[in-house]
């Protein structure tokens, strides 16, 4: 079998036909290239039994022979290849072997084995290291820990090893030629000049115009997900003039004009991701994240572990833009995530620890509603259905598609949450504690799923407490107490780095030596030089806020379309909950029936006349009955909504980040719950009033006195439902809602005006105007003439103006009641902003 000599980077290797050799930026590869255009694992050279072959592993910028991009080709003496660029990429020349010129450098694991063989009885920590390195490495302060072994000197990966390449360093996916005066239309439909098969792109999305004066501009055609220039959206239906360095974003594709041609770069998932000098400071100046830097190579799986208080959750929020770092930058393929969040947010998937789907729906139905919200409005049902089926097959969920999410196992539910994120084909996926609460078998299944996602061309970063399956990861980031980096590199080298045999020992060391400079130890190690030094070399900078126009990016659906989808989904969720449906009928029926126990034999809600004197006598029955009905409406309305926002908070946070309208979401709750609550109020009123004697003529509706009395009860239920939404938007846990619900109901009892006289009591009367029950009882009281039925015991001539038996008083009372509901709606909308990505709120 013929040996082959490979020359590159000024070095020469003799290739053994019995071994395959990996080429790329990975420092653990066989032949390492320090060039940003070369992928992490770019290609493999091997002898197939007949000839030498080079196989490209789907690299971003390609492998070239005679300026032609190749996937797999036979090579031999005299062949020349270029990696990453057909003209000036790293050059490889091949020749016949004359003598062994140089051996392929050892991998770090091989070097460790060699050290162990050289000194079988010596501790690993006694392996020789360069003098300078020994001087820089801090001594271990805890008993029993071994010194970190030295890592064999390899050519360090430069900025390209972990930092993402710029667009200018990538080879375009394809080229398109311009001609003066020509219009080039981009869209999903086949009749476009440039067809982009991406469901994030509208059927007719945008147009490039080459003007007679030689300039170019991009015009948005009313696209649903927007057209972006340098990460910032242009107005819907608007245009922008392009310069030579401007990048236009359309879905997963970006475009750049070079001369008279249009270069297209398609984001196929092979993107790099890096964090540089991330620092988060909270009130009081305390840093909970300290100068965190690391680079994630493309198509890799990275795990983040650390003890409680090490800043893992804060780091995840900083990396996703939910809570941007106060200092530092996050780079998605060399693009600043914070500054270009409006565009890049659709290329990033986030799976929180809690499920982001409505568990009451079936798997496919839940994904269908999610697809309707995330895909453009011009996406057909068949296109959405095809994408959903594709994702279900990929995650092996097609056999469970008709099952309710709540009936699935923990691991299967996590797969469904991942499936939701995969609908839009994100290139970068974050997961927060996906294995929390799962048994070891499901833990392994989930981690194997994530390994498969990375192998299929995505970059996956997972925050986890589980250390059982770390070997499946490409890189491991260990956070130390206080929010600093204690280690970043291959997981199989981590324990050796810390000098312990188990992660339990490492975490105990973190706890026992909390004041130890773990970050300093890391930065003084050779692992740092090999895996993080180049990413960390950039100077720290403040995290700039996004431009003002970036906070209002286009939405995939119109406001009305989102509202309709949300209403249909919410109704489907309610319809699937048989217990809630039964309670919505039983609760008002019971509350209305209780009022029938109050002096029902008298049957009066009017002012009785003394038969001997002919004078009207007070009627305590009317106020008592109305008190019971008002409290029942308050309780039923608030109970309907008090848990609705808190139980969906994680879902709302994620959907808001992908383009959900806050007002459409709130209005869907108001419409559905409002209809339910109003019907409940009608039932309460009909039961409480219909069997009693009421006035023959009302103030507003004439002979329809029963309806006139029911309307304030219905409006009270609606306003109480809005108060319940305020409570639900304020609390942090669902357990806190019930005490607040009880407190709200009791306060309404006190301030109805039925228990004691409110009018004429300074301060108390004015405060009662903030209570919905005050105005509802007052509106019904005007119809029943409460100033005569329940006069002031101390001074009957001192009447309450909100109880005046006049149509104007009824109108004012109802208007005040509705106004309170509107104010509550405004407050809920403001409080919901707190649960949105902070980068969207700046």
């Amino acid at each position: 079998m013929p040996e082959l000599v490979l020359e590159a980077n000024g070095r020469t290797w003799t290739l053994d036909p019995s071994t395959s050799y990996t080429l790329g930026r990975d420092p653990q590869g066989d032949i390492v290239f320090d060039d940003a255009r070369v992928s992490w694992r770019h290609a493999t050279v091997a002898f197939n039994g007949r000839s030498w072959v080079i196989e490209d592993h789907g690299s971003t910028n390609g492998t070239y022979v005679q300026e032609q991009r190749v996937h797999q080709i036979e090579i031999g003496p005299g062949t020349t290849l270029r990696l990453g660029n057909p003209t000036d990429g790293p050059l490889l020349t091949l020749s016949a072997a004359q003598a062994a010129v140089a051996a392929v450098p050892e991998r770090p694991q091989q070097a460790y084995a060699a050290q162990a063989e050289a000194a079988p009885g010596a501790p690993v920590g006694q392996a020789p290291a360069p003098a300078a390195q020994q001087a820089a490495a801090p001594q271990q302060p805890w008993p029993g820990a071994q010194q970190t072994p030295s890592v064999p000197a390899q050519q360090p990966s430069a900025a390209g090893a972990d930092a993402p390449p710029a667009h200018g360093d990538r080879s375009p996916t394809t080229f398109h030629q311009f001609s003066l005066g020509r219009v080039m239309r981009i869209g999903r439909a086949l009749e476009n000049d440039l067809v982009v098969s991406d469901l994030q792109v509208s059927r007719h999305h945008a147009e490039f115009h080459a003007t007679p004066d030689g300039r170019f501009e991009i015009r948005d055609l009313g696209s649903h997900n927007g057209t972006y220039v340098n990460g910032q959206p242009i107005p819907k239906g608007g245009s922008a003039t392009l310069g030579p360095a401007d990048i236009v974003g359309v879905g997963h594709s970006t475009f750049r004009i070079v001369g008279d041609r249009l270069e297209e770069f398609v984001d196929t998932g092979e993107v790099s991701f890096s964090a540089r000098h991330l620092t988060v400071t909270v009130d009081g100046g305390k840093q909970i994240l300290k100068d965190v830097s690391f680079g994630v190579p493309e198509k890799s799986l990275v795990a983040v572990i650390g003890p409680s208080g090490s800043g893992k959750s804060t780091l995840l929020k900083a990396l996703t833009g939910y809570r941007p770092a106060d200092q530092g930058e996050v780079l998605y393929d060399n693009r600043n995530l914070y500054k270009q969040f409006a565009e890049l947010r659709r290329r990033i998937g986030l799976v929180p620890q809690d499920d982001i789907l409505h568990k009451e729906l079936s798997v496919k139905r839940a994904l269908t509603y999610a697809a309707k919200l995330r895909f453009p409005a011009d996406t057909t049902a068949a296109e959405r259905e095809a994408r959903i089926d594709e994702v279900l097959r990929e995650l092996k969920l097609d056999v469970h598609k008709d099952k309710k999410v709540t009936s699935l196992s923990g691991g299967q539910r996590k797969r469904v949450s991942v499936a939701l994120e995969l609908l839009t084909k994100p290139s970068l996926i974050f997961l927060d504690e996906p294995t929390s609460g799962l048994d070891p078998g499901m833990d392994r299944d989930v981690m194997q799923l994530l390994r498969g996602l990375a192998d299929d061309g995505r970059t996956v970063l997972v925050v986890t407490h589980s250390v059982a399956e770390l070997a499946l990861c490409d890189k491991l980031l260990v956070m130390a107490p206080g929010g600093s980096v204690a280690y970043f590199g291959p997981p199989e080298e981590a324990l050796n780095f810390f000098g312990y045999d188990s992660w339990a020992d490492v975490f105990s060391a973190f706890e026992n030596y909390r004041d130890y400079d773990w970050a300093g130890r890391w930065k003084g190690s050779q692992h740092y030089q090999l895996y993080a030094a180049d990413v960390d070399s950039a100077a720290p900078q403040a995290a700039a806020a996004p431009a003002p126009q970036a906070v209002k990016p286009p939405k995939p659906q119109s406001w009305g379309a989102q509202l309709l989808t949300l209403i249909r989904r919410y109704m489907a969720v309610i319809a699937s909950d048989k217990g809630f449906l039964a309670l919505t009928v039983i609760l008002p029926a019971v509350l209305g029936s209780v009022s029938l126990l109050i002096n029902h034999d008298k049957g009066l809600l009017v002012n009785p006349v003394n038969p001997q004197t002919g004078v009207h006598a007070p009627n305590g029955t009317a106020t008592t009955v109305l008190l019971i009905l008002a409290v029942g409406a308050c309780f039923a309305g608030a109970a309907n909504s008090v848990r609705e926002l808190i139980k969906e908070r994680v879902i709302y946070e994620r959907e808001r980040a992908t383009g959900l309208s806050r007002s459409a979401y709130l209005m869907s709750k108001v419409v559905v719950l409002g209809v339910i609550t109003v019907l409940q109020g009608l039932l309460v009123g009909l039961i409480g009033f219909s069997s009693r004697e009421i006035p023959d003529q009302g103030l507003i509706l004439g002979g329809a006195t029963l309806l006139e009395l029911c309307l304030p009860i219905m409006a009270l239920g609606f306003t109480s439902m809005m108060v319940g939404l305020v409570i639900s938007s304020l609390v942090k846990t669902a357990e806190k809602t019930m005490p607040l619900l009880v407190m709200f109901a009791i306060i309404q009892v006190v301030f109805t005006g039925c228990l004691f006289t409110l009018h004429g009591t300074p301060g108390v009367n004015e405060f009662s105007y903030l209570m919905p029950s005050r105005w509802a009882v007052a509106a019904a009281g005007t119809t029943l003439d409460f100033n005569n039925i329940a006069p002031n015991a101390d001074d009957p001539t001192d009447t309450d103006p909100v109880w005046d038996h006049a149509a104007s008083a009824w109108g004012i009372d109802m208007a005040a009641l509705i106004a309170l509901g509107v104010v509550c709606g405004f407050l809920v909308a403001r409080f919901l902003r707190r649960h949105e990505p902070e980068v969207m709120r700046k």
Side-chain angles (χ1 to χ4, degrees):
M1 295 186 293
E3 292 182 337
L4 191 66
V5 174
L6 184 150
E7 184 177 354
N9 291 336
R11 298 186 61 188
T12 305
W13 293 268
T14 299
L15 307 184
D16 184 352
S18 63
T19 306
S20 62
Y21 300 90
T22 59
L23 287 64
R25 297 200 325 266
D26 186 354
Q28 296 188 72
D30 298 301
I31 302 175
V32 181
F33 292 87
D34 180 17
D35 193 298
R37 294 167 295 182
V38 178
S39 294
W40 191 254
R41 295 182 180 89
H42 195 102
T44 298
V45 174
F47 188 78
N48 64 6
R50 183 173 56 89
S51 62
W52 285 93
V53 174
I54 184 168
E55 180 181 0
D56 187 281
H57 293 310
S59 62
T60 301
N61 295 318
T63 302
Y64 299 87
V65 176
Q66 296 180 352
E67 298 189 358
Q68 298 296 317
R69 186 165 183 167
V70 297
H71 173 67
Q72 186 177 31
I73 191 172
E74 294 184 357
I75 56 177
T79 304
T80 59
L81 305 99
R82 286 193 181 273
L83 307 182
N85 190 284
T87 56
D88 61 355
L91 177 66
L92 287 73
T93 59
L94 302 171
S95 59
Q98 301 298 326
V101 183
V104 177
E106 289 181 313
R107 300 181 184 180
Q109 296 92 332
Q110 296 171 335
Y112 293 152
Q115 290 177 4
E117 292 175 2
V124 178
Q126 295 178 4
Q133 186 63 37
Q134 291 176 351
Q139 297 298 317
Q140 303 287 1
W142 60 91
Q146 297 175 341
Q147 184 70 24
T148 304
S150 63
V151 180
Q154 273 194 16
Q155 183 180 357
S157 57
D162 288 318
H167 279 290
D169 295 328
R170 286 186 182 271
S171 293
T173 306
T174 186
F175 303 93
H176 309 275
Q177 200 67 33
F178 265 124
S179 60
L180 287 179
R182 182 188 171 191
V183 175
M184 183 177 292
R185 176 173 292 183
I186 303 174
R188 207 172 69 248
L190 297 178
E191 60 266 22
N192 290 285
D193 302 298
L194 203 164
V195 179
V196 179
S197 56
D198 181 357
L199 291 182
Q200 295 284 343
V201 178
S202 299
R203 295 184 62 81
H204 300 95
H205 197 103
E207 289 179 341
F208 281 101
H209 286 253
T211 59
D213 60 359
R215 298 194 303 169
F216 297 90
E217 68 177 13
I218 181 69
R219 296 179 185 175
D220 184 82
L221 300 179
S223 63
H224 299 280
N225 278 326
T227 304
Y228 299 83
V229 176
N230 300 325
Q232 305 302 323
I234 62 176
K236 192 170 185 176
S239 61
T241 302
L242 302 176
D246 290 334
I247 300 294
V248 176
V250 174
H252 285 81
S253 298
T254 51
F255 301 88
R256 179 179 60 185
I257 296 176
V258 179
D260 60 349
R261 73 179 185 180
L262 181 67
E263 296 182 346
E264 179 182 3
F265 303 82
V266 180
D267 186 346
T268 59
E270 296 176 345
V271 297
S272 296
F273 183 79
S274 64
R276 300 190 177 186
H277 303 289
L278 298 185
T279 299
V280 174
T281 306
V282 295
D283 296 337
K286 180 181 179 182
Q287 290 185 343
I288 57 177
L289 204 65
K290 299 179 182 178
D291 195 26
V292 174
S293 298
F294 65 95
V296 180
E298 60 193 35
K299 298 173 63 175
S300 63
L301 173 60
V302 179
V304 180
I305 65 171
S308 298
S310 59
K312 298 188 300 297
S313 297
T314 303
L315 175 62
L316 185 64
K317 292 178 180 179
L319 295 177
T320 56
Y322 273 60
R323 200 291 188 193
D326 301 304
Q327 190 178 56
E329 59 183 359
V330 176
L331 300 179
Y332 174 101
D333 217 20
N334 221 29
R335 303 173 65 184
N336 191 301
L337 177 64
Y338 298 159
K339 294 180 180 180
Q340 304 187 24
F341 185 79
E343 177 187 355
L344 297 180
R345 63 178 181 169
R346 292 188 176 90
R347 303 190 191 185
I348 297 176
L350 173 62
V351 181
Q353 184 173 347
D354 297 324
D355 295 326
I356 52 177
L357 289 165
H358 291 87
K359 299 179 182 178
E360 301 84 356
L361 302 178
S362 68
V363 171
K364 187 164 186 178
R365 196 171 189 184
L367 293 179
T368 299
Y369 285 121
K372 287 182 178 180
L373 290 173
R374 297 194 181 193
F375 290 146
D378 60 5
T379 306
T380 65
E383 289 175 315
R384 290 194 300 268
E385 184 96 359
R387 179 57 188 157
I388 292 171
D389 290 341
E390 180 182 355
V391 171
L392 290 175
R393 287 192 301 270
E394 180 180 358
L395 298 182
K396 298 179 176 60
L397 287 170
D398 46 340
V399 295
H400 304 293
K401 63 181 181 181
D402 296 323
K403 296 180 182 178
K404 284 189 176 182
V405 176
T406 188
S407 68
L408 301 177
S409 66
Q412 290 169 341
R413 285 201 303 271
K414 192 59 62 177
R415 283 178 178 265
V416 177
S417 294
V418 173
L420 187 150
E421 293 301 311
L422 292 185
L423 288 175
T424 54
K425 297 184 178 180
S427 302
L428 182 63
I429 303 177
F430 292 92
L431 299 99
D432 186 12
E433 298 288 355
T435 61
S436 177
L438 302 183
D439 60 51
M442 290 184 178
D443 181 358
R444 180 181 58 191
D445 291 343
V446 171
M447 291 301 292
Q448 288 177 342
L449 165 67
L450 303 184
R451 177 70 265 171
L453 293 178
D455 292 338
D456 288 341
R458 305 174 183 91
T459 300
V460 183
L461 189 146
V462 54
V463 175
T464 180
H465 277 110
S466 175
V467 297
E469 304 297 333
L470 294 181
L472 293 173
C473 303
D474 297 295
K475 290 290 188 290
L476 176 65
L477 175 66
V478 183
M479 300 294 293
S484 58
V485 176
Y487 173 81
F488 179 74
E492 61 270 15
E493 300 175 20
L495 286 176
N496 214 353
F497 172 82
F498 288 107
Y500 286 107
D501 296 327
S502 70
W503 283 108
D505 294 331
V506 175
F507 278 47
S508 294
F510 283 148
E511 181 63 28
N512 296 332
Y513 302 95
R514 299 186 69 88
D515 296 332
Y516 178 67
D517 186 9
W518 296 99
R521 178 178 184 273
W522 157 242
K523 291 187 177 181
S525 69
Q526 292 187 13
H527 281 79
Y528 170 81
Q529 297 296 327
L530 187 59
Y531 301 116
D534 297 305
V535 176
D536 201 26
S537 61
Q541 59 178 316
Q549 65 266 30
V551 300
K552 293 183 179 180
K555 296 178 174 60
Q557 302 273 339
S558 66
W559 187 90
Q562 284 193 1
L563 176 62
L564 182 60
T565 300
L566 290 168
I567 288 176
R568 292 178 61 189
R569 183 178 70 178
Y570 193 26
M571 291 176 62
V573 170
I574 291 177
S576 65
D577 190 345
K578 308 303 180 185
F580 179 81
L581 289 176
L583 191 61
T584 56
V585 177
I586 295 174
L587 180 62
V590 171
L591 294 175
S593 300
V594 169
S595 68
L596 300 179
L597 303 177
I598 309 299
N599 293 334
H600 189 265
D601 56 330
K602 295 183 179 180
L604 297 176
L605 283 181
V606 296
N607 192 286
V609 179
N610 189 315
Q612 296 179 351
T613 62
V615 178
H616 289 277
N619 182 0
T621 300
T623 56
T624 304
V625 169
L626 201 53
L627 172 64
I628 297 298
L629 296 179
V631 172
C634 284
F635 187 81
N640 286 339
S641 61
V642 75
R643 288 178 177 265
E644 286 306 304
L645 299 182
I646 181 63
K647 75 179 184 181
E648 291 187 358
R649 182 160 296 172
V650 176
I651 298 176
Y652 171 74
E653 289 177 355
R654 183 62 195 130
E655 290 184 341
R656 177 64 177 146
T658 59
L660 179 69
S661 166
R662 183 195 315 130
S663 58
Y665 175 78
L666 176 57
M667 188 57 64
S668 70
K669 299 294 184 184
V670 172
V671 170
V672 177
L673 291 176
V675 170
I676 293 174
T677 305
V678 166
L679 292 177
Q680 287 179 325
L682 178 62
L683 181 59
V684 169
L686 289 176
I687 295 175
F689 293 127
S690 59
S691 61
R692 298 181 181 273
E693 182 182 352
I694 58 177
D696 296 330
Q697 291 291 319
L699 297 173
I700 302 296
L701 301 181
T705 309
L706 179 60
L707 179 58
E708 186 174 310
L709 289 171
C710 288
L711 284 176
I713 303 300
M714 297 160 66
L716 175 59
F718 179 84
T719 303
S720 299
M721 181 271 296
M722 297 299 296
V723 174
L725 289 178
V726 173
I727 295 174
S728 191
S729 65
L730 280 173
V731 297
K732 293 184 178 180
T733 61
E735 289 74 16
K736 295 180 180 179
T737 59
M738 297 314 296
L740 293 175
L741 173 61
V742 173
M743 182 180 70
F744 168 73
I746 292 176
I747 292 176
Q748 299 311 304
V749 173
V750 175
F751 289 98
T752 56
C754 298
L755 296 179
F756 60 91
T757 302
L758 293 172
H759 177 64
T761 307
V764 176
N765 185 47
E766 286 74 18
F767 182 75
S768 71
Y769 291 157
L770 299 175
M771 303 297 135
S773 62
R774 170 73 157 130
W775 298 106
V777 170
T782 60
T783 301
L784 298 174
D785 194 9
F786 263 19
N787 278 325
N788 284 323
I789 288 180
N792 191 330
D794 298 328
D795 183 5
T797 62
D798 185 17
T799 60
D800 192 335
V802 300
W803 285 3
D804 286 346
H805 188 59
S808 59
W810 189 93
I812 291 174
D813 295 340
M814 290 295 290
L817 184 57
I818 295 173
L820 286 176
V822 173
V823 170
C824 288
F826 174 78
L827 292 176
V828 175
R830 298 299 297 176
F831 294 149
L832 281 175
R833 292 184 71 251
R834 302 183 309 161
H835 308 297
E836 299 171 2
E838 187 171 322
V839 72
M840 298 177 66
R841 292 185 269 134
K842 288 187 178 293

